[in-house]
Structures are given as structure tokens and as C-alpha cells.
Amino acid sequence: KAGVTQTPRYLIKTRGQQVTLSCSPISGHRSVSWYQQTPGQGLQFLFEYFSETQRNKGNFPGRFSGRQFSNSRSEMNVSTLELGDSALYLCASRERTGENSPLHFGNGTRLTVT
Amino acid sequence: QKEVEQDPGPLSVPEGAIVSLNCTYSNSAFQYFMWYRQYSRKGPELLMYTYSSGNKEDGRFTAQVDKSSKYISLFIRDSQPSDSATYLCAMSASTGGFKTIFGAGTRLFVKA
């Protein structure tokens, strides 16, 4: 089975711009979660989607949003970029939500905001 | 105080050593405990997955959970240079929708 695929791998944006990141989960996995990873804060939970609905949300401002499509693929959008948004954004999928199954991660999108 | 505390290291050991990595947590509702390994420029990879207290062994890796002390450990036997990576503990609970909370990660270097 192919793993979680994230595109693009690297992005450079300017403050004030917006960005969209894409994630394709493992085949058969219907839940997609997004995390932000920085050296200072580690892995911080952004949100989780299942069946095109947001099921869980972390403590991030409204500039961070996401969506999930009927084929379980997900996108994450960050508007009005700030320097502090520079991070590795990781997508993870699992088979179901509402019960525990471990997360399987992609290799991330490295976002640099200048 | 963070929900999950993990010493970021770095931890440097000689090849062949036994490595002990640890995390403490504050939320007694956590039931599921995981260890991930992350190589540079890669995403975290699931190593071990355990439920509640006890031990689980997989090859050179052993995970231990002590819920009474809110303490989890990962032991690596016969460590190899290829084990050099960042190790992240993670945990989740049915309360909160099984949101997975991660430790900061411990950077491990195994020297040949």
C-alpha cells in the first residue's frame, strides 16, 4: 500500500500571502489529521477530518483551515501568513475516528515564510 | 505544564548500548501509548503501539507503560548507528476524541 502523500514538499511564501497544502491518505483510511511541527513547540495538533467533517480541532487561529473531499483527500489552508507559520506541516491518516487507531504520517510540507 | 513531557536530549551512546527513552504525562485518562521514530527530513514512523499498562516487545524494541506513575519508556537493545533519529512518545484517550498528543521528542545519536 502506498503511504501518506503530501504535496508540495517545500514551499516559500511571503508574509501576508496564503498557502494550500495537500494530503492523500493511505488507501482505505478515512480520517486525516494535520499537525504543525516546529523546533520550539514540537508536534501541535491542528485538526482532524473524517467523512468530510471536522471532528476535532486544536488551538490555532482561524487563519488555519482545512477540508476533506469525498475521496478522503484533504487540504489545509493558511491565510495571511506570518513569519511564525514557518514550520513542517504533517498530515497523518488512520482507518477510523471515534476509536483509537494509530496515526500514519506523510513526510510533510516544509513551509518557509519570509 | 505540558500534558506530555519528554527530555529533548540530545542523547549520545556508543554502538551496542542499551538506550532508555522516557516520557511522563499528567492526564490520567490517557489509555493508548505510542512511540514514533523520525529521521531528518522525514515524517514520524510508528514504532510501537500499546494499550494501558504493561510491556510490549518487538525485536530490539521494548515499550513499557506504568500508568500508576504516569511514565512510559522505550528501550532499544544493541543500538545501531541506523537508530540515530528523533524518538517521539505519543498518547491518546477516548475523552477528547482520541486526539493524539506528542512529546517534544528525544534526539538520539548512536556512534559507531
Side-chain angles (χ1 to χ4, degrees), chain A residues 40-114:
Chain A
Q41 297 297 316
L43 272 156
Q44 301 287 309
F45 174 75
L46 280 155
F47 27 67
E48 180 181 16
Y49 285 87
F50 179 80
S51 291
E52 303 176 64
T53 302
Q54 189 179 88
R55 299 301 178 122
N56 230 328
K57 190 177 188 309
N59 297 321
F60 278 81
R63 301 185 297 107
F64 292 82
S65 63
R67 59 178 177 167
Q68 187 181 34
F69 302 96
S70 58
N71 62 358
S72 295
R73 193 177 67 85
S74 177
E75 287 182 348
M76 191 194 96
N77 186 76
V78 188
S79 62
T80 319
L81 284 165
E82 300 177 0
L83 294 178
D85 297 333
S86 294
L88 180 66
Y89 289 88
L90 290 160
C91 169
S93 72
R94 56 182 176 178
E95 289 182 53
R96 295 170 291 275
T97 191
E99 60 181 84
N100 195 69
S101 55
L103 297 170
H104 298 269
F105 284 88
N107 285 326
T109 294
R110 171 75 61 185
L111 172 64
T112 302
V113 182
T114 62

Side-chain angles (χ1 to χ4, degrees), chain A residues 41 43-44, chain B residues 1-7 22-27 30 32-35 70-72 88-92 99-105:
Chain A
Q41 297 297 316
L43 272 156
Q44 301 287 309
Chain B
Q1 185 192 0
K2 290 185 175 181
E3 278 190 284
V4 180
E5 298 279 0
Q6 182 177 12
D7 185 338
N22 311 294
C23 288
T24 58
Y25 61 94
S26 56
N27 186 352
F30 285 137
Y32 301 91
F33 303 91
M34 291 142 280
W35 286 95
K70 299 192 184 70
Y71 188 89
I72 70 170
L88 299 137
C89 64
M91 42 201 82
S92 66
K99 184 170 66 177
T100 304
I101 308 297
F102 286 82

Side-chain angles (χ1 to χ4, degrees), chain B residues 21 47 105-107 111:
Chain B
L21 303 166
L47 273 180
T106 300
R107 192 91 186 268
K111 296 183 288 188

Side-chain angles (χ1 to χ4, degrees), chain B residues 36-85:
Chain B
Y36 286 82
R37 176 176 62 195
Q38 186 174 21
Y39 292 114
S40 182
R41 291 185 292 279
K42 296 284 191 181
E45 168 195 12
L46 180 68
L47 273 180
M48 301 289 278
Y49 171 57
T50 57
Y51 170 71
S52 195
S53 284
N55 294 359
K56 182 175 182 179
E57 189 173 318
D58 184 0
R60 296 185 296 111
F61 298 90
T62 299
Q64 282 186 355
V65 175
D66 182 349
K67 290 194 70 180
S68 62
S69 302
K70 299 192 184 70
Y71 188 89
I72 70 170
S73 301
L74 178 71
F75 297 95
I76 307 174
R77 290 183 299 281
D78 187 25
S79 56
Q80 303 295 310
S82 59
D83 294 327
S84 298

